[in-house]
């Protein structure tokens, strides 16, 4: 009987540690990308190209931050209050916040009109959709899947930069 309790406790601890590890890995991908992508761009193109990318990146990241502001925390509270209404709360939040994409997108388009505005808009949209799923990932503890998706996205981006014949800022942003 004691062996069963000990084994169950060890398995539960192992599962918690794995979840924590995958979640930490998921959050570590952002800083890794922040170091890896500039290095790859500078190595395969130039500092000037990276300088163009940084200008657009700051604007896109700021717009995405504003559009996704507080959604994860609010949704997690809503999920805890009414677990049976999880899908409705998520869709309501998604639809409401998507309205913010219109002014954010128009501003982004205007600010990046010389550096590839359509790529910047696509980047904003992808960041918005990705951020929209954060609360669901946390609620359902799907950290390994989220890590895999983010890692694949980073790998595709780095591979695209490395294999590009002629590297321009709009290609990096895209």
């Amino acid at each position: 009987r004691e062996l069963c309790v000990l084994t169950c406790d060890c398995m539960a601890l192992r599962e918690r540690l794995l979840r924590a590890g995958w979640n930490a890995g998921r959050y570590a991908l952002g800083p890794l990308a922040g170091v890896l992508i500039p290095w790859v761009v500078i190595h395969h193109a130039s500092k000037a190209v990276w300088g163009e990318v940084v200008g657009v990146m700051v604007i896109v990241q700021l717009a995405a931050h504003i559009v996704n502001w507080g959604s994860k925390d609010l949704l997690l509270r809503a999920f805890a209050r009414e677990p049976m209404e999880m899908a409705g709360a998520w869709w309501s939040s998604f639809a409401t916040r998507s309205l913010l994409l219109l002014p954010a997108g128009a501003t982004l388009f205007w600010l990046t009109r010389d550096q590839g505005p359509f790529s910047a808009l696509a980047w904003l949209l992808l960041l918005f959709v990705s951020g929209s799923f954060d609360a669901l990932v946390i609620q359902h503890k799907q950290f390994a899947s989220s890590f895999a998706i983010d890692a694949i996205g980073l790998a595709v981006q780095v591979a695209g930069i490395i294999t590009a014949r002629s590297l321009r800022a709009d290609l990096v942003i895209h």
Side-chain angles (χ1 to χ4, degrees), residues 75-94:
L75 279 172
L76 288 172
R77 283 190 213 114
F79 296 166
R81 264 193 323 271
E82 297 183 51
M84 300 303 291
E85 298 298 321
M86 198 178 303
W90 186 86
W91 278 108
S92 175
S93 173
F94 186 84

Side-chain angles (χ1 to χ4, degrees), residues 3 15 22 48 100 119 131 136 142 147:
L3 181 61
E15 187 174 322
W22 283 117
L100 295 173
S119 297
L136 290 173
Q142 295 296 313
F147 174 84

Side-chain angles (χ1 to χ4, degrees), residues 13-90:
L13 177 62
R14 180 180 175 270
E15 187 174 322
R16 277 192 224 120
L17 287 173
L18 277 172
R19 282 186 186 154
W22 283 117
N23 196 30
R26 186 172 76 98
Y27 281 108
L29 280 176
L32 175 64
V35 172
L36 183 61
I37 291 174
W39 182 82
V40 172
V41 170
I42 291 169
H43 182 73
H44 287 281
S46 68
K47 290 178 184 176
V49 170
W50 177 245
E52 291 177 41
V53 171
V54 167
V56 175
M57 182 177 72
V58 168
I59 296 167
V60 170
Q61 294 284 343
L62 179 61
H65 186 71
I66 290 168
V67 171
N68 282 323
W69 193 300
S71 67
K72 177 176 63 175
D73 297 327
L74 291 173
L75 279 172
L76 288 172
R77 283 190 213 114
F79 296 166
R81 264 193 323 271
E82 297 183 51
M84 300 303 291
E85 298 298 321
M86 198 178 303
W90 186 86

Side-chain angles (χ1 to χ4, degrees), residues 36-172:
L36 183 61
I37 291 174
W39 182 82
V40 172
V41 170
I42 291 169
H43 182 73
H44 287 281
S46 68
K47 290 178 184 176
V49 170
W50 177 245
E52 291 177 41
V53 171
V54 167
V56 175
M57 182 177 72
V58 168
I59 296 167
V60 170
Q61 294 284 343
L62 179 61
H65 186 71
I66 290 168
V67 171
N68 282 323
W69 193 300
S71 67
K72 177 176 63 175
D73 297 327
L74 291 173
L75 279 172
L76 288 172
R77 283 190 213 114
F79 296 166
R81 264 193 323 271
E82 297 183 51
M84 300 303 291
E85 298 298 321
M86 198 178 303
W90 186 86
W91 278 108
S92 175
S93 173
F94 186 84
T96 302
R97 287 180 309 102
S98 67
L99 295 175
L100 295 173
L101 285 172
L102 296 173
T107 304
L108 181 64
F109 188 87
W110 184 76
L111 291 173
T112 62
R113 64 190 176 277
D114 297 331
Q115 294 104 349
F118 294 107
S119 297
L121 289 172
W123 192 1
L124 173 62
L125 184 61
L126 289 170
L127 287 173
F128 170 74
V129 171
S130 175
S132 296
F133 284 96
D134 275 349
L136 290 173
V137 167
I138 292 168
Q139 180 69 26
H140 295 295
K141 297 176 177 46
Q142 295 296 313
F143 306 122
S145 301
S146 178
F147 174 84
I149 291 167
D150 290 345
I152 290 168
L154 176 59
V156 166
Q157 188 175 11
V158 169
I161 293 168
I162 290 171
T163 60
R165 293 181 193 264
S166 165
L167 198 56
R168 300 181 324 263
D170 60 328
L171 293 176
V172 176

